[in-house]
Amino acid sequence: MSSSTSLKFSKPVVPIVACLMPEFGIGFKGKLPWRLKQEMKYFKDITTKTLDSNKRNAVLMGRKTWLSIPPKFRPLPGRLNVVLSRSNPEWEFTQTEEEEKDEKNVVHANSIEFALKKLDTEYDDIERIYIIGGGEVYNSSYNYCSHLLVTEINTEKALQMDTFLDTNKINELFEKSDDLKDWQKFVSHTPYTENKVTEGEYNYSYQLYTKKK
Ligand code: NDP
């Protein structure tokens, strides 16, 4: 499917992902293969901050990514958490006791397209919809997105990976912005202006990929 047949939403739909380059590896055995504090802070700031102080963002994720977040840290605060699962037929299904504590912050959906339509049309308080993983959800989201926020990670460390982004699809649909100003503009409502970070044995940079015309 080309970008011209993509579904268009009025709100920005933006996957945000940290990848080991050059193969775009994102996970191993259900977990992140690294622990990068500054990168986690970037993820938190970008997905939480809004241009309009009366609004919040949504974070859309697959069931496995939801379960990979330690229970005491979920739902992710200050954001509407949307969890995808095909095994449940309804938009909202029975919530667990733990989720009931923060009912307004968690909803469930059985289709990515349905979730995006719902967030786009029925949630006036949502500014951006961030897709936060994992591999299956990222790789089925590209037709709905105008941009990707990719943290490109390089390291000498030998890391095992079993979950990857679909590089063919990304190269077909998106191009990386060469101009740092594009990324700076996209995150201008956050404190971030420098995109290169060194943390321990890792070098990484925050990048913006834009849908090809
Ligand atoms: P996901 O988190 O993508 O969850 C997959 C599950 O989500 C499916 O089994 C299904 O649930 C549900 N689902 C997926 N797509 C849809 C859809 N279109 N409609 C409805 N439900 C859907 O799992 P992955 O295994 O692909 O990814 C997890 C890995 O990704 C982990 O290693 C994690 O650490 C990593 N990750 C990496 C990130 C990074 O930035 N590097 C960020 C986030 C995660 P059900 O089975 O219930 O039907």
Side-chain angles (χ1 to χ4, degrees), residues 17-18 26-28 30-32 34 62-65 84-87 110-112 132-138:
V17 58
I26 66 160
F28 185 63
K31 295 188 175 152
L32 291 178
W34 44 73
R63 177 183 56 81
K64 292 178 185 170
T65 292
L84 288 171
S85 169
R86 289 191 194 85
S87 39
N110 59 15
S111 134
I112 189 166
I132 64 161
E136 189 181 343
V137 174
Y138 286 133

PDB file of all heavy atoms in Angstrom, residues 17-18 26-28 30-32 34 62-65 84-87 110-112 132-138, ligand 1:
ATOM      1  N   VAL A  17      10.189   5.240  18.888  1.00  0.00           N
ATOM      2  CA  VAL A  17      10.849   3.945  19.056  1.00  0.00           C
ATOM      3  C   VAL A  17      12.356   4.122  19.167  1.00  0.00           C
ATOM      4  O   VAL A  17      12.923   5.010  18.530  1.00  0.00           O
ATOM      5  CB  VAL A  17      10.486   3.008  17.861  1.00  0.00           C
ATOM      6  CG1 VAL A  17      10.880   3.599  16.522  1.00  0.00           C
ATOM      7  CG2 VAL A  17      11.056   1.615  18.026  1.00  0.00           C
ATOM      8  N   ALA A  18      12.975   3.295  19.992  1.00  0.00           N
ATOM      9  CA  ALA A  18      14.441   3.269  20.088  1.00  0.00           C
ATOM     10  C   ALA A  18      14.926   2.016  19.373  1.00  0.00           C
ATOM     11  O   ALA A  18      14.447   0.903  19.655  1.00  0.00           O
ATOM     12  CB  ALA A  18      14.870   3.244  21.553  1.00  0.00           C
ATOM     13  N   ILE A  26      14.666  -3.860  18.144  1.00  0.00           N
ATOM     14  CA  ILE A  26      13.980  -3.107  19.216  1.00  0.00           C
ATOM     15  C   ILE A  26      13.754  -3.903  20.497  1.00  0.00           C
ATOM     16  O   ILE A  26      13.418  -3.318  21.530  1.00  0.00           O
ATOM     17  CB  ILE A  26      12.633  -2.521  18.751  1.00  0.00           C
ATOM     18  CG1 ILE A  26      11.621  -3.622  18.429  1.00  0.00           C
ATOM     19  CG2 ILE A  26      12.823  -1.574  17.577  1.00  0.00           C
ATOM     20  CD1 ILE A  26      10.183  -3.111  18.443  1.00  0.00           C
ATOM     21  N   GLY A  27      13.921  -5.225  20.465  1.00  0.00           N
ATOM     22  CA  GLY A  27      13.601  -5.964  21.687  1.00  0.00           C
ATOM     23  C   GLY A  27      14.218  -7.348  21.707  1.00  0.00           C
ATOM     24  O   GLY A  27      14.659  -7.873  20.679  1.00  0.00           O
ATOM     25  N   PHE A  28      14.245  -7.931  22.908  1.00  0.00           N
ATOM     26  CA  PHE A  28      14.724  -9.311  23.067  1.00  0.00           C
ATOM     27  C   PHE A  28      13.981  -9.956  24.230  1.00  0.00           C
ATOM     28  O   PHE A  28      13.943  -9.399  25.333  1.00  0.00           O
ATOM     29  CB  PHE A  28      16.241  -9.340  23.310  1.00  0.00           C
ATOM     30  CG  PHE A  28      16.807 -10.732  23.362  1.00  0.00           C
ATOM     31  CD1 PHE A  28      16.751 -11.557  22.236  1.00  0.00           C
ATOM     32  CD2 PHE A  28      17.368 -11.229  24.527  1.00  0.00           C
ATOM     33  CE1 PHE A  28      17.258 -12.843  22.269  1.00  0.00           C
ATOM     34  CE2 PHE A  28      17.875 -12.526  24.575  1.00  0.00           C
ATOM     35  CZ  PHE A  28      17.824 -13.336  23.438  1.00  0.00           C
ATOM     36  N   GLY A  30      10.922 -10.172  24.997  1.00  0.00           N
ATOM     37  CA  GLY A  30       9.845  -9.382  25.609  1.00  0.00           C
ATOM     38  C   GLY A  30      10.310  -8.145  26.359  1.00  0.00           C
ATOM     39  O   GLY A  30       9.503  -7.472  27.003  1.00  0.00           O
ATOM     40  N   LYS A  31      11.618  -7.862  26.277  1.00  0.00           N
ATOM     41  CA  LYS A  31      12.135  -6.706  27.023  1.00  0.00           C
ATOM     42  C   LYS A  31      12.966  -5.819  26.115  1.00  0.00           C
ATOM     43  O   LYS A  31      13.357  -6.215  25.016  1.00  0.00           O
ATOM     44  CB  LYS A  31      13.016  -7.180  28.179  1.00  0.00           C
ATOM     45  CG  LYS A  31      12.249  -7.949  29.224  1.00  0.00           C
ATOM     46  CD  LYS A  31      13.116  -8.213  30.419  1.00  0.00           C
ATOM     47  CE  LYS A  31      12.280  -8.873  31.505  1.00  0.00           C
ATOM     48  NZ  LYS A  31      13.054  -9.716  32.364  1.00  0.00           N
ATOM     49  N   LEU A  32      13.285  -4.619  26.638  1.00  0.00           N
ATOM     50  CA  LEU A  32      14.238  -3.759  25.948  1.00  0.00           C
ATOM     51  C   LEU A  32      15.638  -4.333  26.164  1.00  0.00           C
ATOM     52  O   LEU A  32      15.972  -4.718  27.291  1.00  0.00           O
ATOM     53  CB  LEU A  32      14.199  -2.334  26.509  1.00  0.00           C
ATOM     54  CG  LEU A  32      12.942  -1.511  26.237  1.00  0.00           C
ATOM     55  CD1 LEU A  32      13.065  -0.156  26.920  1.00  0.00           C
ATOM     56  CD2 LEU A  32      12.719  -1.329  24.749  1.00  0.00           C
ATOM     57  N   TRP A  34      18.384  -2.814  26.386  1.00  0.00           N
ATOM     58  CA  TRP A  34      19.283  -1.831  27.011  1.00  0.00           C
ATOM     59  C   TRP A  34      18.528  -1.112  28.116  1.00  0.00           C
ATOM     60  O   TRP A  34      17.299  -1.197  28.200  1.00  0.00           O
ATOM     61  CB  TRP A  34      19.738  -0.809  25.954  1.00  0.00           C
ATOM     62  CG  TRP A  34      18.602  -0.345  25.097  1.00  0.00           C
ATOM     63  CD1 TRP A  34      17.594   0.501  25.454  1.00  0.00           C
ATOM     64  CD2 TRP A  34      18.323  -0.759  23.768  1.00  0.00           C
ATOM     65  NE1 TRP A  34      16.705   0.638  24.419  1.00  0.00           N
ATOM     66  CE2 TRP A  34      17.135  -0.116  23.368  1.00  0.00           C
ATOM     67  CE3 TRP A  34      18.956  -1.615  22.848  1.00  0.00           C
ATOM     68  CZ2 TRP A  34      16.563  -0.300  22.108  1.00  0.00           C
ATOM     69  CZ3 TRP A  34      18.382  -1.788  21.598  1.00  0.00           C
ATOM     70  CH2 TRP A  34      17.202  -1.138  21.241  1.00  0.00           C
ATOM     71  N   GLY A  62       0.686  -2.494  22.103  1.00  0.00           N
ATOM     72  CA  GLY A  62       0.217  -3.871  22.089  1.00  0.00           C
ATOM     73  C   GLY A  62       0.179  -4.446  23.493  1.00  0.00           C
ATOM     74  O   GLY A  62       0.844  -3.949  24.410  1.00  0.00           O
ATOM     75  N   ARG A  63      -0.589  -5.536  23.619  1.00  0.00           N
ATOM     76  CA  ARG A  63      -0.741  -6.164  24.946  1.00  0.00           C
ATOM     77  C   ARG A  63       0.606  -6.557  25.544  1.00  0.00           C
ATOM     78  O   ARG A  63       0.837  -6.408  26.751  1.00  0.00           O
ATOM     79  CB  ARG A  63      -1.636  -7.416  24.805  1.00  0.00           C
ATOM     80  CG  ARG A  63      -1.817  -8.211  26.077  1.00  0.00           C
ATOM     81  CD  ARG A  63      -2.648  -9.457  25.868  1.00  0.00           C
ATOM     82  NE  ARG A  63      -2.140 -10.343  24.830  1.00  0.00           N
ATOM     83  CZ  ARG A  63      -1.154 -11.209  24.996  1.00  0.00           C
ATOM     84  NH1 ARG A  63      -0.553 -11.333  26.167  1.00  0.00           N
ATOM     85  NH2 ARG A  63      -0.759 -11.989  23.994  1.00  0.00           N
ATOM     86  N   LYS A  64       1.530  -7.030  24.699  1.00  0.00           N
ATOM     87  CA  LYS A  64       2.808  -7.524  25.244  1.00  0.00           C
ATOM     88  C   LYS A  64       3.663  -6.374  25.778  1.00  0.00           C
ATOM     89  O   LYS A  64       4.349  -6.520  26.783  1.00  0.00           O
ATOM     90  CB  LYS A  64       3.561  -8.327  24.184  1.00  0.00           C
ATOM     91  CG  LYS A  64       2.836  -9.626  23.859  1.00  0.00           C
ATOM     92  CD  LYS A  64       3.525 -10.427  22.788  1.00  0.00           C
ATOM     93  CE  LYS A  64       2.682 -11.650  22.435  1.00  0.00           C
ATOM     94  NZ  LYS A  64       3.174 -12.331  21.249  1.00  0.00           N
ATOM     95  N   THR A  65       3.613  -5.234  25.095  1.00  0.00           N
ATOM     96  CA  THR A  65       4.356  -4.072  25.600  1.00  0.00           C
ATOM     97  C   THR A  65       3.741  -3.587  26.904  1.00  0.00           C
ATOM     98  O   THR A  65       4.453  -3.257  27.860  1.00  0.00           O
ATOM     99  CB  THR A  65       4.394  -2.969  24.527  1.00  0.00           C
ATOM    100  OG1 THR A  65       5.209  -3.452  23.457  1.00  0.00           O
ATOM    101  CG2 THR A  65       4.955  -1.665  25.056  1.00  0.00           C
ATOM    102  N   LEU A  84      -3.907  -2.626  22.934  1.00  0.00           N
ATOM    103  CA  LEU A  84      -4.508  -3.398  21.854  1.00  0.00           C
ATOM    104  C   LEU A  84      -4.430  -4.888  22.127  1.00  0.00           C
ATOM    105  O   LEU A  84      -3.368  -5.395  22.519  1.00  0.00           O
ATOM    106  CB  LEU A  84      -3.756  -3.137  20.546  1.00  0.00           C
ATOM    107  CG  LEU A  84      -3.927  -1.787  19.885  1.00  0.00           C
ATOM    108  CD1 LEU A  84      -2.938  -1.652  18.726  1.00  0.00           C
ATOM    109  CD2 LEU A  84      -5.344  -1.591  19.395  1.00  0.00           C
ATOM    110  N   SER A  85      -5.564  -5.583  21.883  1.00  0.00           N
ATOM    111  CA  SER A  85      -5.579  -7.043  21.961  1.00  0.00           C
ATOM    112  C   SER A  85      -6.692  -7.533  21.052  1.00  0.00           C
ATOM    113  O   SER A  85      -7.795  -7.003  21.087  1.00  0.00           O
ATOM    114  CB  SER A  85      -5.832  -7.494  23.402  1.00  0.00           C
ATOM    115  OG  SER A  85      -6.092  -8.875  23.433  1.00  0.00           O
ATOM    116  N   ARG A  86      -6.373  -8.547  20.243  1.00  0.00           N
ATOM    117  CA  ARG A  86      -7.421  -9.089  19.357  1.00  0.00           C
ATOM    118  C   ARG A  86      -8.292 -10.092  20.095  1.00  0.00           C
ATOM    119  O   ARG A  86      -9.358 -10.439  19.621  1.00  0.00           O
ATOM    120  CB  ARG A  86      -6.790  -9.808  18.167  1.00  0.00           C
ATOM    121  CG  ARG A  86      -6.146  -8.868  17.192  1.00  0.00           C
ATOM    122  CD  ARG A  86      -5.769  -9.591  15.911  1.00  0.00           C
ATOM    123  NE  ARG A  86      -4.868  -8.773  15.142  1.00  0.00           N
ATOM    124  CZ  ARG A  86      -3.557  -8.728  15.309  1.00  0.00           C
ATOM    125  NH1 ARG A  86      -2.982  -9.488  16.243  1.00  0.00           N
ATOM    126  NH2 ARG A  86      -2.811  -7.937  14.575  1.00  0.00           N
ATOM    127  N   SER A  87      -7.832 -10.577  21.225  1.00  0.00           N
ATOM    128  CA  SER A  87      -8.575 -11.639  21.901  1.00  0.00           C
ATOM    129  C   SER A  87      -9.795 -11.125  22.662  1.00  0.00           C
ATOM    130  O   SER A  87     -10.504 -11.903  23.278  1.00  0.00           O
ATOM    131  CB  SER A  87      -7.639 -12.432  22.819  1.00  0.00           C
ATOM    132  OG  SER A  87      -6.735 -11.573  23.459  1.00  0.00           O
ATOM    133  N   ASN A 110      -9.590  -3.638  20.055  1.00  0.00           N
ATOM    134  CA  ASN A 110      -9.194  -4.872  19.372  1.00  0.00           C
ATOM    135  C   ASN A 110      -8.738  -4.626  17.942  1.00  0.00           C
ATOM    136  O   ASN A 110      -8.486  -5.562  17.199  1.00  0.00           O
ATOM    137  CB  ASN A 110     -10.312  -5.915  19.416  1.00  0.00           C
ATOM    138  CG  ASN A 110     -11.591  -5.408  18.779  1.00  0.00           C
ATOM    139  OD1 ASN A 110     -11.562  -4.411  18.064  1.00  0.00           O
ATOM    140  ND2 ASN A 110     -12.686  -6.075  19.045  1.00  0.00           N
ATOM    141  N   SER A 111      -8.621  -3.352  17.550  1.00  0.00           N
ATOM    142  CA  SER A 111      -8.119  -3.047  16.207  1.00  0.00           C
ATOM    143  C   SER A 111      -7.417  -1.698  16.240  1.00  0.00           C
ATOM    144  O   SER A 111      -7.923  -0.736  16.828  1.00  0.00           O
ATOM    145  CB  SER A 111      -9.294  -3.034  15.218  1.00  0.00           C
ATOM    146  OG  SER A 111      -9.248  -1.914  14.365  1.00  0.00           O
ATOM    147  N   ILE A 112      -6.272  -1.637  15.602  1.00  0.00           N
ATOM    148  CA  ILE A 112      -5.494  -0.399  15.602  1.00  0.00           C
ATOM    149  C   ILE A 112      -6.255   0.707  14.873  1.00  0.00           C
ATOM    150  O   ILE A 112      -6.295   1.855  15.303  1.00  0.00           O
ATOM    151  CB  ILE A 112      -4.091  -0.645  14.994  1.00  0.00           C
ATOM    152  CG1 ILE A 112      -3.178   0.543  15.183  1.00  0.00           C
ATOM    153  CG2 ILE A 112      -4.136  -1.004  13.544  1.00  0.00           C
ATOM    154  CD1 ILE A 112      -1.714   0.233  14.908  1.00  0.00           C
ATOM    155  N   ILE A 132       3.604   3.336  20.803  1.00  0.00           N
ATOM    156  CA  ILE A 132       4.794   3.081  21.638  1.00  0.00           C
ATOM    157  C   ILE A 132       5.212   1.611  21.640  1.00  0.00           C
ATOM    158  O   ILE A 132       5.966   1.186  22.503  1.00  0.00           O
ATOM    159  CB  ILE A 132       4.605   3.630  23.071  1.00  0.00           C
ATOM    160  CG1 ILE A 132       3.478   2.918  23.827  1.00  0.00           C
ATOM    161  CG2 ILE A 132       4.356   5.138  23.055  1.00  0.00           C
ATOM    162  CD1 ILE A 132       3.573   3.108  25.350  1.00  0.00           C
ATOM    163  N   GLY A 133       4.750   0.824  20.682  1.00  0.00           N
ATOM    164  CA  GLY A 133       5.263  -0.542  20.540  1.00  0.00           C
ATOM    165  C   GLY A 133       4.205  -1.591  20.794  1.00  0.00           C
ATOM    166  O   GLY A 133       3.047  -1.270  21.051  1.00  0.00           O
ATOM    167  N   GLY A 134       4.651  -2.853  20.672  1.00  0.00           N
ATOM    168  CA  GLY A 134       6.004  -3.242  20.279  1.00  0.00           C
ATOM    169  C   GLY A 134       6.079  -3.500  18.785  1.00  0.00           C
ATOM    170  O   GLY A 134       5.396  -2.829  17.994  1.00  0.00           O
ATOM    171  N   GLY A 135       6.890  -4.492  18.418  1.00  0.00           N
ATOM    172  CA  GLY A 135       7.185  -4.743  17.011  1.00  0.00           C
ATOM    173  C   GLY A 135       5.944  -4.928  16.159  1.00  0.00           C
ATOM    174  O   GLY A 135       5.812  -4.325  15.081  1.00  0.00           O
ATOM    175  N   GLU A 136       5.020  -5.740  16.628  1.00  0.00           N
ATOM    176  CA  GLU A 136       3.826  -6.035  15.825  1.00  0.00           C
ATOM    177  C   GLU A 136       3.005  -4.768  15.595  1.00  0.00           C
ATOM    178  O   GLU A 136       2.528  -4.513  14.489  1.00  0.00           O
ATOM    179  CB  GLU A 136       2.978  -7.100  16.535  1.00  0.00           C
ATOM    180  CG  GLU A 136       1.850  -7.598  15.657  1.00  0.00           C
ATOM    181  CD  GLU A 136       0.977  -8.641  16.346  1.00  0.00           C
ATOM    182  OE1 GLU A 136       1.398  -9.223  17.373  1.00  0.00           O
ATOM    183  OE2 GLU A 136      -0.131  -8.859  15.836  1.00  0.00           O
ATOM    184  N   VAL A 137       2.850  -3.974  16.631  1.00  0.00           N
ATOM    185  CA  VAL A 137       2.029  -2.755  16.510  1.00  0.00           C
ATOM    186  C   VAL A 137       2.749  -1.707  15.657  1.00  0.00           C
ATOM    187  O   VAL A 137       2.150  -1.114  14.747  1.00  0.00           O
ATOM    188  CB  VAL A 137       1.648  -2.210  17.899  1.00  0.00           C
ATOM    189  CG1 VAL A 137       0.925  -0.883  17.793  1.00  0.00           C
ATOM    190  CG2 VAL A 137       0.770  -3.227  18.622  1.00  0.00           C
ATOM    191  N   TYR A 138       4.045  -1.498  15.897  1.00  0.00           N
ATOM    192  CA  TYR A 138       4.781  -0.547  15.041  1.00  0.00           C
ATOM    193  C   TYR A 138       4.614  -0.936  13.569  1.00  0.00           C
ATOM    194  O   TYR A 138       4.303  -0.103  12.729  1.00  0.00           O
ATOM    195  CB  TYR A 138       6.284  -0.573  15.359  1.00  0.00           C
ATOM    196  CG  TYR A 138       6.727   0.079  16.641  1.00  0.00           C
ATOM    197  CD1 TYR A 138       7.609  -0.572  17.499  1.00  0.00           C
ATOM    198  CD2 TYR A 138       6.320   1.370  16.984  1.00  0.00           C
ATOM    199  CE1 TYR A 138       8.064   0.026  18.667  1.00  0.00           C
ATOM    200  CE2 TYR A 138       6.771   1.973  18.164  1.00  0.00           C
ATOM    201  CZ  TYR A 138       7.636   1.292  18.994  1.00  0.00           C
ATOM    202  OH  TYR A 138       8.084   1.893  20.143  1.00  0.00           O
TER     203      TYR A 138
HETATM  204  P1  NDP B   1       3.387  -6.081  21.021  1.00  0.00           P
HETATM  205  O1  NDP B   1       3.695  -5.222  22.179  1.00  0.00           O
HETATM  206  O2  NDP B   1       3.307  -5.433  19.659  1.00  0.00           O
HETATM  207  O3  NDP B   1       2.027  -6.820  21.376  1.00  0.00           O
HETATM  208  C1  NDP B   1       1.505  -7.779  20.503  1.00  0.00           C
HETATM  209  C2  NDP B   1       0.076  -8.073  20.913  1.00  0.00           C
HETATM  210  O4  NDP B   1      -0.711  -6.895  20.784  1.00  0.00           O
HETATM  211  C3  NDP B   1      -0.582  -9.130  20.050  1.00  0.00           C
HETATM  212  O5  NDP B   1      -0.295 -10.438  20.508  1.00  0.00           O
HETATM  213  C4  NDP B   1      -2.043  -8.722  20.188  1.00  0.00           C
HETATM  214  O6  NDP B   1      -2.542  -9.103  21.483  1.00  0.00           O
HETATM  215  C5  NDP B   1      -1.975  -7.222  20.208  1.00  0.00           C
HETATM  216  N1  NDP B   1      -2.022  -6.618  18.873  1.00  0.00           N
HETATM  217  C6  NDP B   1      -0.985  -6.374  18.045  1.00  0.00           C
HETATM  218  N2  NDP B   1      -1.404  -5.783  16.908  1.00  0.00           N
HETATM  219  C7  NDP B   1      -2.740  -5.638  17.038  1.00  0.00           C
HETATM  220  C8  NDP B   1      -3.750  -5.077  16.204  1.00  0.00           C
HETATM  221  N3  NDP B   1      -3.460  -4.561  14.995  1.00  0.00           N
HETATM  222  N4  NDP B   1      -5.014  -5.085  16.641  1.00  0.00           N
HETATM  223  C9  NDP B   1      -5.317  -5.602  17.869  1.00  0.00           C
HETATM  224  N5  NDP B   1      -4.410  -6.150  18.694  1.00  0.00           N
HETATM  225  C10 NDP B   1      -3.137  -6.157  18.290  1.00  0.00           C
HETATM  226  O7  NDP B   1       4.416  -7.336  20.987  1.00  0.00           O
HETATM  227  P2  NDP B   1       5.777  -7.638  20.225  1.00  0.00           P
HETATM  228  O8  NDP B   1       6.217  -8.969  20.700  1.00  0.00           O
HETATM  229  O9  NDP B   1       5.651  -7.446  18.749  1.00  0.00           O
HETATM  230  O10 NDP B   1       6.797  -6.513  20.783  1.00  0.00           O
HETATM  231  C11 NDP B   1       7.294  -6.568  22.106  1.00  0.00           C
HETATM  232  C12 NDP B   1       8.781  -6.266  22.099  1.00  0.00           C
HETATM  233  O11 NDP B   1       8.967  -4.904  21.650  1.00  0.00           O
HETATM  234  C13 NDP B   1       9.409  -6.363  23.475  1.00  0.00           C
HETATM  235  O12 NDP B   1      10.711  -6.928  23.375  1.00  0.00           O
HETATM  236  C14 NDP B   1       9.512  -4.893  23.908  1.00  0.00           C
HETATM  237  O13 NDP B   1      10.540  -4.692  24.865  1.00  0.00           O
HETATM  238  C15 NDP B   1       9.841  -4.253  22.573  1.00  0.00           C
HETATM  239  N6  NDP B   1       9.588  -2.826  22.562  1.00  0.00           N
HETATM  240  C16 NDP B   1      10.619  -2.007  22.164  1.00  0.00           C
HETATM  241  C17 NDP B   1      10.460  -0.652  22.146  1.00  0.00           C
HETATM  242  C18 NDP B   1      11.606   0.217  21.717  1.00  0.00           C
HETATM  243  O14 NDP B   1      11.426   1.452  21.590  1.00  0.00           O
HETATM  244  N7  NDP B   1      12.783  -0.316  21.460  1.00  0.00           N
HETATM  245  C19 NDP B   1       9.201  -0.018  22.562  1.00  0.00           C
HETATM  246  C20 NDP B   1       8.169  -0.948  22.913  1.00  0.00           C
HETATM  247  C21 NDP B   1       8.369  -2.305  22.928  1.00  0.00           C
HETATM  248  P3  NDP B   1      -3.370 -10.477  21.761  1.00  0.00           P
HETATM  249  O15 NDP B   1      -2.354 -11.573  21.659  1.00  0.00           O
HETATM  250  O16 NDP B   1      -3.918 -10.291  23.132  1.00  0.00           O
HETATM  251  O17 NDP B   1      -4.439 -10.566  20.706  1.00  0.00           O
END
